[in-house]
Amino acid sequence: EVDEDADNNDTPHTSTVLHTVTSDDGNYAGITASVTVTIMDEDEAGVLVVPPTNPVMEGETITYTVRLTSQPTAPVTLIPAFDTAQLTVTMPLLPPVFTDTNWNITQTVVLRAVDDMVQEEYLQTFTIDHTLSSSDPLYAALTVDPMDVTVVDNNNPGIVIAPARVVLSESTSGIYPNYATIDVRLRTEPTQTVTVSLSPDAQLTADVTTLIFNAENYSMTQTVTLTAVDDGVDEAVLHVGMLALSAQS
């Protein structure tokens, strides 16, 4: 029996072994006999996909490997399909191709999880499907099992304020100005409209009480003017005023 690696034999299939006798005995010389052998082909067409063992953080890469389980009669192209808003292939630049010479050599696919700045579930699972393109009829008709990849979201929501500290004078004639501006934005893209409420204490006033952010303007700063209150109270030369910000969505 010959282990030929090829996938082009039916299972089972038969082969005939012909025997011819050579002898000086005229009764045996030239006698023929044949034996029919039934062969089971162990080389079944298939794709071995080894998925990644760990989750991947947004913005980072992860790998998985692929190869064929039998020698094809024509080149086989493996085409991955997935949610491109969440994953991209960084290498190879073209889909893996397997031939009759490299079919059993593992090829590595590198995936990058898209860093999308959208707050999502901490762990999300995405499915990668593979389709095969080949003139080998067995591989052309083959269905590859889907593979799952788990992505870790790296977007922690929050409010960004700059600067985080200002120095003001109560009086317009003081050493420092009696007002200053701060810029406010969201850290990550929201999935719904976010209202940021501003609540100054008795030491300050703000020219606005609310700021509205959405998916389009979350990264654009909105300016707030803070003014020190000249309250006529004898206080420490340096004392603290606080501005509290809270978000609702």
Side-chain angles (χ1 to χ4, degrees):
E1 180 180 345
V2 177
D3 187 4
E4 59 189 6
D5 292 329
D7 63 14
N8 58 330
N9 289 325
D10 295 329
T11 302
H13 55 282
T14 60
S15 181
T16 300
V17 181
L18 179 65
H19 300 81
T20 302
V21 177
T22 301
S23 176
D24 293 334
D25 185 331
N27 293 320
Y28 281 97
I31 292 177
T32 61
S34 63
V35 177
T36 300
V37 180
T38 300
I39 301 172
M40 300 297 293
D41 185 14
E42 297 176 347
D43 300 305
E44 183 178 354
V47 178
L48 179 62
V49 179
V50 180
T53 57
N54 297 312
V56 57
M57 181 75 71
E58 284 187 347
E60 298 181 1
T61 60
I62 200 167
T63 63
Y64 70 96
T65 61
V66 292
R67 70 170 179 86
L68 304 188
T69 60
S70 68
Q71 185 180 43
T73 60
V76 178
T77 301
L78 183 74
I79 305 170
F82 45 82
D83 184 350
T84 55
Q86 300 292 340
L87 297 168
T88 60
V89 173
T90 61
M91 64 177 298
L93 298 179
L94 297 176
V97 177
F98 295 94
T99 66
D100 59 354
T101 58
N102 76 341
W103 63 271
N104 59 348
I105 299 174
T106 296
Q107 297 195 44
T108 299
V109 179
V110 182
L111 295 173
R112 180 180 296 277
V114 176
D115 192 358
D116 54 15
M117 298 302 293
V118 178
Q119 183 195 354
E120 300 163 307
E121 293 182 16
Y122 181 67
L123 293 177
Q124 294 187 92
T125 299
F126 300 100
T127 298
I128 298 178
D129 295 308
H130 296 90
T131 57
L132 301 177
S133 175
S134 179
S135 58
D136 180 325
L138 294 180
Y139 275 102
L142 191 65
T143 299
V144 182
D145 291 335
M147 181 192 78
D148 288 338
V149 173
T150 300
V151 176
V152 181
D153 186 50
N154 64 353
N155 298 298
N156 297 315
I159 301 172
V160 179
I161 307 169
R165 179 176 181 271
V166 295
V167 179
L168 304 176
S169 294
E170 286 189 356
S171 169
T172 56
S173 58
I175 299 176
Y176 300 100
N178 73 325
Y179 71 93
T181 59
I182 59 172
D183 291 327
V184 181
R185 64 174 177 85
L186 300 187
R187 180 177 291 121
T188 61
E189 180 180 340
T191 57
Q192 302 291 331
T193 298
V194 176
T195 300
V196 176
S197 298
L198 294 85
S199 302
D201 65 8
Q203 301 293 335
L204 298 169
T205 62
D207 64 335
V208 295
T209 57
T210 58
L211 302 172
I212 305 297
F213 294 95
N214 52 42
E216 285 71 37
N217 73 345
Y218 76 97
S219 62
M220 302 177 185
T221 58
Q222 299 190 40
T223 300
V224 177
T225 300
L226 301 177
T227 303
V229 174
D230 189 0
D231 52 18
V233 178
D234 186 12
E235 299 166 299
V237 174
L238 293 178
H239 54 279
V240 177
M242 298 294 294
L243 174 69
L245 292 88
S246 61
Q248 293 182 330
S249 180

